[in-house]
Amino acid sequence: MAEVRLVWTEVLKAVATRNRPTQALLLNATVQDLNGSTLVLSMPPWLVKQLAQRRRLDFVRDALRKVLGGEWDVQCVEAARCRPVTTSIEAGAADGDAAAQLDAQFVWDEQAAVAGAAIGSEENDTDGGQR
């Protein structure tokens, strides 16, 4: 699992070459576990159905194959408290700072809006997202 986390940025870049909306969704996912050749990604509940679509998982599997080699399965699970990016604002939120909690929620909402916009642009993509 540590190896996957170390190269996760490369995996995201490899996914972006195939399908940017899928990469945008992955920005909100966290490498949770590795069970054999099954990579478990945790994410907010609203993201599970979006990312668990077969063609999106194919993009992720292709990227993992390109970066790490081998064949991979990908499982998407809901995270109770999933924060896509740890920032100093969120660190303050974890300490109970009310202003930091509001700022952290804004960061979260902003990232969700970006992912939603990416999904919407994919629906208007005439080449099926292939780049």
Side-chain angles (χ1 to χ4, degrees):
M1 184 170 66
E3 182 181 354
V4 174
R5 285 183 175 156
L6 287 173
V7 298
W8 189 244
T9 301
E10 292 177 49
V11 172
L12 291 174
K13 289 178 185 176
V15 170
T17 64
R18 297 280 318 274
N19 187 267
R20 285 199 177 273
T22 299
Q23 185 233 12
L25 293 173
L26 284 173
L27 293 174
N28 292 290
T30 302
V31 175
Q32 182 70 36
D33 199 6
L34 184 61
N35 297 322
S37 63
T38 301
L39 178 66
V40 180
L41 299 174
S42 65
M43 60 205 62
W46 59 267
L47 185 59
V48 173
K49 279 187 175 182
Q50 291 294 321
L51 198 53
Q53 295 174 10
R54 183 183 175 117
R55 66 189 178 89
R56 291 193 193 280
L57 292 178
D58 286 343
F59 295 134
V60 177
R61 281 191 285 269
D62 290 346
L64 289 165
R65 188 179 311 116
K66 180 179 178 182
V67 174
L68 294 168
E71 293 299 317
W72 294 85
D73 288 319
V74 180
Q75 180 183 6
C76 301
V77 298
E78 288 184 16
R81 283 189 59 162
C82 182
R83 294 249 186 242
V85 179
T86 301
T87 65
S88 59
I89 292 171
E90 291 176 56
D95 293 335
D97 179 355
Q101 287 176 350
L102 290 173
D103 287 344
Q105 185 60 46
F106 175 76
V107 169
W108 179 257
D109 292 343
E110 190 69 22
Q111 289 173 339
V114 169
I119 293 166
S121 70
E122 181 181 61
E123 292 171 358
N124 297 324
D125 191 359
T126 58
D127 69 354
Q130 301 294 322
R131 302 197 196 286

Short mmCIF file of all heavy atoms in Angstrom, two decimals, residues 77-104:
data_model
loop_
_atom_site.label_atom_id
_atom_site.label_comp_id
_atom_site.label_asym_id
_atom_site.label_seq_id
_atom_site.Cartn_x
_atom_site.Cartn_y
_atom_site.Cartn_z
N VAL A 77 -15.05 2.52 -1.67
CA VAL A 77 -15.83 2.43 -0.43
C VAL A 77 -16.07 3.83 0.12
O VAL A 77 -15.29 4.75 -0.13
CB VAL A 77 -15.12 1.57 0.64
CG1 VAL A 77 -14.97 0.14 0.17
CG2 VAL A 77 -13.79 2.15 1.04
N GLU A 78 -17.18 3.96 0.85
CA GLU A 78 -17.49 5.23 1.49
C GLU A 78 -16.60 5.46 2.70
O GLU A 78 -16.34 4.53 3.46
CB GLU A 78 -18.95 5.26 1.95
CG GLU A 78 -19.93 5.35 0.85
CD GLU A 78 -21.36 5.47 1.35
OE1 GLU A 78 -21.57 5.78 2.55
OE2 GLU A 78 -22.27 5.24 0.55
N ALA A 79 -16.15 6.67 2.85
CA ALA A 79 -15.38 7.04 4.04
C ALA A 79 -16.28 7.87 4.93
O ALA A 79 -16.99 8.77 4.47
CB ALA A 79 -14.15 7.85 3.64
N ALA A 80 -16.27 7.57 6.21
CA ALA A 80 -17.11 8.31 7.16
C ALA A 80 -16.71 9.78 7.19
O ALA A 80 -17.54 10.67 7.11
CB ALA A 80 -17.00 7.70 8.55
N ARG A 81 -15.43 10.04 7.32
CA ARG A 81 -14.92 11.41 7.28
C ARG A 81 -13.77 11.43 6.30
O ARG A 81 -12.66 11.07 6.64
CB ARG A 81 -14.42 11.84 8.65
CG ARG A 81 -15.51 12.20 9.61
CD ARG A 81 -14.95 12.81 10.83
NE ARG A 81 -14.19 14.01 10.45
CZ ARG A 81 -13.86 14.96 11.29
NH1 ARG A 81 -14.17 14.85 12.55
NH2 ARG A 81 -13.20 16.01 10.90
N CYS A 82 -14.07 11.81 5.09
CA CYS A 82 -13.06 11.78 4.05
C CYS A 82 -12.71 13.19 3.64
O CYS A 82 -13.56 13.94 3.19
CB CYS A 82 -13.58 10.99 2.85
SG CYS A 82 -12.40 10.83 1.53
N ARG A 83 -11.49 13.58 3.81
CA ARG A 83 -11.00 14.88 3.36
C ARG A 83 -9.99 14.62 2.25
O ARG A 83 -9.00 13.93 2.47
CB ARG A 83 -10.32 15.62 4.50
CG ARG A 83 -11.29 15.99 5.59
CD ARG A 83 -11.46 17.49 5.60
NE ARG A 83 -12.26 17.88 6.73
CZ ARG A 83 -13.41 18.49 6.59
NH1 ARG A 83 -13.89 18.75 5.41
NH2 ARG A 83 -14.09 18.85 7.64
N PRO A 84 -10.22 15.12 1.04
CA PRO A 84 -9.34 14.81 -0.08
C PRO A 84 -7.93 15.38 0.05
O PRO A 84 -7.00 14.81 -0.44
CB PRO A 84 -10.06 15.40 -1.28
CG PRO A 84 -10.94 16.45 -0.71
CD PRO A 84 -11.30 15.99 0.67
N VAL A 85 -7.79 16.51 0.72
CA VAL A 85 -6.49 17.15 0.83
C VAL A 85 -6.33 17.64 2.26
O VAL A 85 -7.24 18.25 2.81
CB VAL A 85 -6.39 18.36 -0.13
CG1 VAL A 85 -5.05 19.05 0.02
CG2 VAL A 85 -6.63 17.93 -1.56
N THR A 86 -5.19 17.39 2.86
CA THR A 86 -4.94 17.92 4.20
C THR A 86 -4.25 19.26 4.05
O THR A 86 -3.23 19.37 3.41
CB THR A 86 -4.04 16.97 5.01
OG1 THR A 86 -4.70 15.71 5.08
CG2 THR A 86 -3.80 17.50 6.40
N THR A 87 -4.87 20.28 4.61
CA THR A 87 -4.31 21.62 4.54
C THR A 87 -4.14 22.15 5.96
O THR A 87 -4.66 21.59 6.91
CB THR A 87 -5.24 22.57 3.77
OG1 THR A 87 -6.44 22.71 4.52
CG2 THR A 87 -5.55 22.06 2.38
N SER A 88 -3.45 23.25 6.09
CA SER A 88 -3.31 23.85 7.41
C SER A 88 -4.66 24.30 7.94
O SER A 88 -4.90 24.28 9.14
CB SER A 88 -2.32 25.02 7.36
OG SER A 88 -2.78 26.00 6.45
N ILE A 89 -5.56 24.69 7.05
CA ILE A 89 -6.91 25.08 7.47
C ILE A 89 -7.60 23.88 8.11
O ILE A 89 -8.17 23.97 9.18
CB ILE A 89 -7.73 25.59 6.27
CG1 ILE A 89 -7.17 26.91 5.77
CG2 ILE A 89 -9.19 25.73 6.63
CD1 ILE A 89 -7.77 27.38 4.47
N GLU A 90 -7.51 22.73 7.45
CA GLU A 90 -8.16 21.54 7.97
C GLU A 90 -7.51 21.07 9.25
O GLU A 90 -8.17 20.52 10.12
CB GLU A 90 -8.16 20.44 6.92
CG GLU A 90 -9.06 20.79 5.75
CD GLU A 90 -9.00 19.75 4.67
OE1 GLU A 90 -9.25 18.57 4.96
OE2 GLU A 90 -8.71 20.11 3.53
N ALA A 91 -6.21 21.26 9.38
CA ALA A 91 -5.53 20.89 10.62
C ALA A 91 -6.12 21.70 11.78
O ALA A 91 -6.36 21.17 12.86
CB ALA A 91 -4.03 21.14 10.51
N GLY A 92 -6.39 22.98 11.56
CA GLY A 92 -7.04 23.81 12.57
C GLY A 92 -8.44 23.32 12.85
O GLY A 92 -8.90 23.34 13.98
N ALA A 93 -9.13 22.85 11.80
CA ALA A 93 -10.49 22.35 11.97
C ALA A 93 -10.50 21.12 12.87
O ALA A 93 -11.40 20.93 13.67
CB ALA A 93 -11.11 22.03 10.62
N ALA A 94 -9.48 20.29 12.74
CA ALA A 94 -9.41 19.08 13.57
C ALA A 94 -9.24 19.45 15.04
O ALA A 94 -9.63 18.69 15.93
CB ALA A 94 -8.26 18.20 13.11
N ASP A 95 -8.66 20.60 15.32
CA ASP A 95 -8.46 21.05 16.69
C ASP A 95 -9.70 21.73 17.26
O ASP A 95 -9.68 22.20 18.39
CB ASP A 95 -7.27 22.03 16.77
CG ASP A 95 -5.96 21.34 16.46
OD1 ASP A 95 -5.88 20.11 16.65
OD2 ASP A 95 -5.03 22.05 16.03
N GLY A 96 -10.76 21.86 16.47
CA GLY A 96 -12.00 22.44 16.97
C GLY A 96 -12.15 23.92 16.70
O GLY A 96 -13.06 24.55 17.20
N ASP A 97 -11.28 24.53 15.95
CA ASP A 97 -11.36 25.96 15.61
C ASP A 97 -12.55 26.16 14.67
O ASP A 97 -12.56 25.68 13.55
CB ASP A 97 -10.05 26.38 14.95
CG ASP A 97 -10.03 27.84 14.54
OD1 ASP A 97 -11.06 28.53 14.67
OD2 ASP A 97 -8.97 28.30 14.08
N ALA A 98 -13.58 26.86 15.12
CA ALA A 98 -14.82 27.02 14.36
C ALA A 98 -14.57 27.69 13.01
O ALA A 98 -15.12 27.28 11.99
CB ALA A 98 -15.83 27.81 15.17
N ALA A 99 -13.76 28.74 12.98
CA ALA A 99 -13.47 29.42 11.71
C ALA A 99 -12.76 28.49 10.75
O ALA A 99 -13.07 28.44 9.56
CB ALA A 99 -12.63 30.67 11.96
N ALA A 100 -11.83 27.71 11.26
CA ALA A 100 -11.10 26.77 10.41
C ALA A 100 -12.04 25.68 9.89
O ALA A 100 -11.92 25.23 8.76
CB ALA A 100 -9.94 26.15 11.17
N GLN A 101 -13.02 25.27 10.72
CA GLN A 101 -13.98 24.27 10.27
C GLN A 101 -14.80 24.80 9.10
O GLN A 101 -15.04 24.09 8.13
CB GLN A 101 -14.90 23.86 11.42
CG GLN A 101 -14.21 22.99 12.44
CD GLN A 101 -15.11 22.67 13.61
OE1 GLN A 101 -16.18 23.24 13.76
NE2 GLN A 101 -14.66 21.75 14.44
N LEU A 102 -15.21 26.07 9.18
CA LEU A 102 -15.96 26.66 8.07
C LEU A 102 -15.09 26.74 6.83
O LEU A 102 -15.54 26.45 5.72
CB LEU A 102 -16.47 28.05 8.45
CG LEU A 102 -17.60 28.07 9.49
CD1 LEU A 102 -17.90 29.51 9.89
CD2 LEU A 102 -18.83 27.39 8.95
N ASP A 103 -13.83 27.15 6.98
CA ASP A 103 -12.92 27.22 5.84
C ASP A 103 -12.69 25.84 5.24
O ASP A 103 -12.65 25.69 4.02
CB ASP A 103 -11.57 27.83 6.26
CG ASP A 103 -11.66 29.32 6.52
OD1 ASP A 103 -12.66 29.94 6.09
OD2 ASP A 103 -10.74 29.86 7.16
N ALA A 104 -12.54 24.82 6.09
CA ALA A 104 -12.33 23.47 5.60
C ALA A 104 -13.56 22.99 4.83
O ALA A 104 -13.44 22.35 3.80
CB ALA A 104 -12.03 22.53 6.76
#
